[in-house]
């Protein structure tokens, strides 16, 4: 390692500590402002030109808003339609009536597991938020419930979505590792499911039952009111369950069709191109909103102007969330552009760990330091690709999976997902750390343990 590498690592560490201090100290700085201030500080500390600093800020915020911001806005609209039509309340009633309280986290984990197969973490969470809030709000009304019902219900969802996002194709991270290491999708997907199940159980229902009695987290009332419906005040009958479920799941169905088409159809196929278009998160969410508005409101005699006003109001509670996530994207871009990832690679090159553990470590360090799981996966896979090609005894699907698991570890303040969970659930920095950061760390570690056990079993066999 060079003195520059050490300086970059210290700068990355100091930037996170300063960010936390600005938010939780007496200054109580708004997270967006804190993220921008710290990002600029990283730029000057790493000797970037002022013009480059501004360019990286705009690039990072813009990329994040383009990839996540519009999808979150569409998700808020879809959630508002589903809540006003009573769909989320219907689903919540079914879950609560047919599931004992102690089994609710398991039911929510199963729903998120299915939703998470085709969906990115952030998109899956947007889809699940109305159901999380509806179930938790009803559970909260029971006098005997202690702690935060929102953590009790939300942690299993976060765990399942994270496990699927980092371990199972067709998510971009695992697919990137598969492509770089030149291995195959089938075995990696099979191993991914085997690792994801115990990981999301330990990080979800089991950890959620432990931590929820120790927390009092409750989302902002405006967001709760948007995504839940206490009573059907207008006297209109609720839509049929099947129509409501189709409206809620249409984006997931379109993304799943795209995922299956990618695995079965050759590149250049017209059906694949159409599936790719319809399964893009932005297009899928847009079609979901249009279908929900048409089938749940307009087809049932609803007023188009009232629908438009409701959709406009749905954006107000999530505006702050979107901007904070954009700030997180700017922070991530600044750390990446400062070449913090290169310093991490140089650090790991001096180690003598087995390839499966080394891949996990490199992906973990790159993800934690740069705020991007994708950077972690690309960097780790690229670094180990020569070894993968030279060692025929190395199980490449398991190596790809170990890299994906490592990229999940300790999602924190430079990750957009951290801010989405924190702001959506109305958490403090400490509460968010106890939930998403710890949950994803559990998922990452358990995933690695399963990888090592599978590798040992295959080697012995």
């Amino acid at each position: 390692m060079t003195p520059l590498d050490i300086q970059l690592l210290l700068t990355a560490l100091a930037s996170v500590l300063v960010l936390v201090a600005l938010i939780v100290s007496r200054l109580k700085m708004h997270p967006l402002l804190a993220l921008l201030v710290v990002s600029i500080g990283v730029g000057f500390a790493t000797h970037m030109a002022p013009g480059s600093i501004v360019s990286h800020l705009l690039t990072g915020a813009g990329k994040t808003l383009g990839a996540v911001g519009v999808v979150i806005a569409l998700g808020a609209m879809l959630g508002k339609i589903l809540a006003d039509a009573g769909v989320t309340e219907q689903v919540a009633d079914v879950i609560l009536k047919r599931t004992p309280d102690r089994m609710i986290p398991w039911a929510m984990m199963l729903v998120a597991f299915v939703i998470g197969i085709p969906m990115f973490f952030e998109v899956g969470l947007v889809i699940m938020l109305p159901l999380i809030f509806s179930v938790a709000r009803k559970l909260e009304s029971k006098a005997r419930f202690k702690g935060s019902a929102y953590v009790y219900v939300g942690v299993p969802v976060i765990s399942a979505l994270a496990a699927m996002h980092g371990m199972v194709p067709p998510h971009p991270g695992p697919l990137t590792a598969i492509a770089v290491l030149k291995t195959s999708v089938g075995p990696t997907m099979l191993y991914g499911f085997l690792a994801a199940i115990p990981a999301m159980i330990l990080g979800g229902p089991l950890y959620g039952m432990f931590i929820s009695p120790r927390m009092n987290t409750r989302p902002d009332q405006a967001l709760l009111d948007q995504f839940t419906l206490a009573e059907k005040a207008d006297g209109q009958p609720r839509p049929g369950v099947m129509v409501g479920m189709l409206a809620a799941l249409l984006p997931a169905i379109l993304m799943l069709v795209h995922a299956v088409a990618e695995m079965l159809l050759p590149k250049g196929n017209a059906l694949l191109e159409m599936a790719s278009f319809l399964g893009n998160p932005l297009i899928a969410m847009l079609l979901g909103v249009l279908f929900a508005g048409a089938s749940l409101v307009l087809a049932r005699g609803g007023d188009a102007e009232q629908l438009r006003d409701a959709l406009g109001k749905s954006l107000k509670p999530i505006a702050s969330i979107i901007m904070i996530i954009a700030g997180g994207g700017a922070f991530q871009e600044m750390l990446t552009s400062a070449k913090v990832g290169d310093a991490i690679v140089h650090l790991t090159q001096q180690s003598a760990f087995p390839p499966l553990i080394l891949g996990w470590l490199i992906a973990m360090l790159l993800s934690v330091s740069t705020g991007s799981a994708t950077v972690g996966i690309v960097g780790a896979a690229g670094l180990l690709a020569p070894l993968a090609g030279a060692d025929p005894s190395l199980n490449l699907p398991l190596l790809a999976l170990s890299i994906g698991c490592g990229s999940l570890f300790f999602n924190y303040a430079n990750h957009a997902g951290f801010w989405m969970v924190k702001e959506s659930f109305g958490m403090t920095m400490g509460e968010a750390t106890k939930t998403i950061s710890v949950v994803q760390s559990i998922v990452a570690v358990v995933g690695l343990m399963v990888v090592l056990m599978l590798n040992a079993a295959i080697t012995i066999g």
Side-chain angles (χ1 to χ4, degrees):
M1 290 186 67
T2 66
L4 177 59
D5 292 332
I6 297 173
Q7 178 189 345
L8 288 173
L9 294 175
L10 291 175
T11 299
L13 176 61
S15 66
V16 174
L17 295 176
V18 171
L19 174 64
V20 174
L22 290 175
I23 295 172
V24 304
S25 68
R26 291 184 179 180
L27 291 174
K28 300 294 182 186
M29 187 176 287
H30 189 277
L32 174 61
L33 298 179
L35 285 162
L36 294 176
V37 168
V38 171
S39 298
I40 293 171
V42 169
F44 282 118
T46 54
H47 309 293
M48 290 185 187
S52 295
I53 293 175
V54 174
S55 176
H56 290 315
L57 286 175
L58 294 175
T59 299
K63 284 195 303 186
T64 304
L65 283 177
V68 179
V70 179
V71 173
I72 292 175
L74 291 171
M77 291 182 172
L78 179 59
K80 179 64 173 174
I81 295 173
L82 296 174
D84 286 351
V87 172
T88 49
E89 295 299 308
Q90 283 180 304
V91 178
D93 286 340
V94 170
I95 291 176
L96 290 172
K97 287 178 181 177
R98 299 186 180 182
T99 309
D101 289 358
R102 67 180 183 280
M103 296 301 295
I104 286 175
W106 299 86
M108 295 298 293
M109 182 191 71
L110 181 60
V111 174
F113 174 79
V114 175
I115 292 290
I117 291 175
M119 287 194 171
F120 297 170
F121 176 86
E122 290 86 358
V123 180
L125 186 59
V126 169
I127 290 291
M128 289 294 296
L129 276 179
L131 183 58
I132 293 171
F133 288 174
S134 294
V135 173
R137 194 170 194 172
K138 290 178 177 293
L139 198 59
E140 184 183 42
S141 65
K142 298 183 179 181
R144 65 178 183 275
F145 190 86
K146 296 181 180 179
S148 172
Y150 300 91
V151 173
Y152 185 71
V153 175
V155 161
V157 171
I158 294 170
S159 177
L161 293 176
M164 301 305 291
H165 183 81
M167 299 183 191
V168 181
H171 288 281
L175 283 180
T176 300
I178 289 168
V180 174
L181 297 175
K182 297 181 180 179
T183 185
S184 53
V185 173
T188 308
M189 177 176 284
L190 175 61
Y191 294 146
F193 279 119
L194 292 175
I197 291 172
M200 67 185 188
I201 288 174
L202 288 171
L206 297 183
Y207 179 69
M209 286 186 281
F210 166 77
I211 194 65
S212 58
R214 296 164 173 80
M215 297 179 66
N216 296 307
T217 298
R218 197 173 194 274
D220 182 79
Q221 189 62 42
L223 203 59
L224 277 179
D225 292 341
Q226 171 170 314
F227 284 148
T228 60
L229 184 67
E231 298 292 340
K232 192 64 179 169
D234 58 10
Q236 275 191 312
R238 290 178 175 179
V241 175
M242 295 304 296
V243 175
M245 289 297 294
L246 178 59
L249 295 177
L250 182 60
I253 293 171
L254 292 173
M255 292 183 204
L256 183 59
V257 170
H258 173 215
V260 173
E262 275 194 320
M263 290 185 286
L264 299 180
L265 298 177
K267 290 184 178 180
N269 185 284
L271 290 177
L272 176 59
E273 291 183 5
M274 180 56 66
S276 178
F277 172 74
L278 296 177
N280 180 280
L282 190 150
I283 301 299
M285 290 298 296
L286 174 61
L287 292 175
V289 172
L290 295 176
F291 178 78
S295 62
L296 302 180
V297 180
L298 301 181
R300 299 170 60 237
D303 184 83
E305 187 171 351
Q306 289 182 355
L307 173 61
R308 183 187 64 188
D309 292 343
L311 295 181
K313 292 177 181 177
S314 73
L315 299 178
K316 294 179 182 178
I318 54 97
S320 177
I321 297 174
I322 292 176
M323 295 313 300
I324 290 171
I325 290 173
F331 186 31
Q332 171 194 321
E333 178 71 18
M334 197 64 70
L335 289 172
T336 303
S337 300
K339 306 297 183 183
V340 172
D342 291 349
I344 293 292
V345 170
H346 296 160
L347 174 65
T348 56
Q349 284 176 334
Q350 302 177 17
S351 66
F353 291 103
L356 294 179
I357 296 178
L358 183 61
W360 188 93
L361 284 172
I362 296 173
M364 179 272 289
L365 291 171
L366 287 172
S367 177
V368 170
S369 60
T370 64
S372 171
T374 302
V375 170
I377 290 173
V378 172
L383 186 63
L384 294 179
L387 177 62
D391 186 357
S393 66
L394 186 57
N395 189 309
L396 298 185
L398 286 180
L399 179 60
L401 178 56
S402 72
I403 290 172
C405 292
S407 72
L408 296 173
F409 188 85
F410 204 70
N411 183 310
Y412 197 54
N414 53 350
H415 285 72
F418 175 90
W419 294 104
M420 185 173 177
V421 171
K422 176 186 178 299
E423 297 301 317
S424 297
F425 286 84
M427 294 175 173
T428 64
M429 290 292 290
E431 289 171 336
T433 303
K434 292 176 185 177
T435 50
I436 182 170
S437 300
V438 173
V439 166
Q440 294 209 186
S441 297
I442 293 172
V443 170
V445 171
V446 173
L448 175 62
M449 293 172 62
V450 174
V451 165
L452 296 178
M453 288 189 290
L454 287 172
N455 186 62
I458 293 169
T459 303
I460 294 173

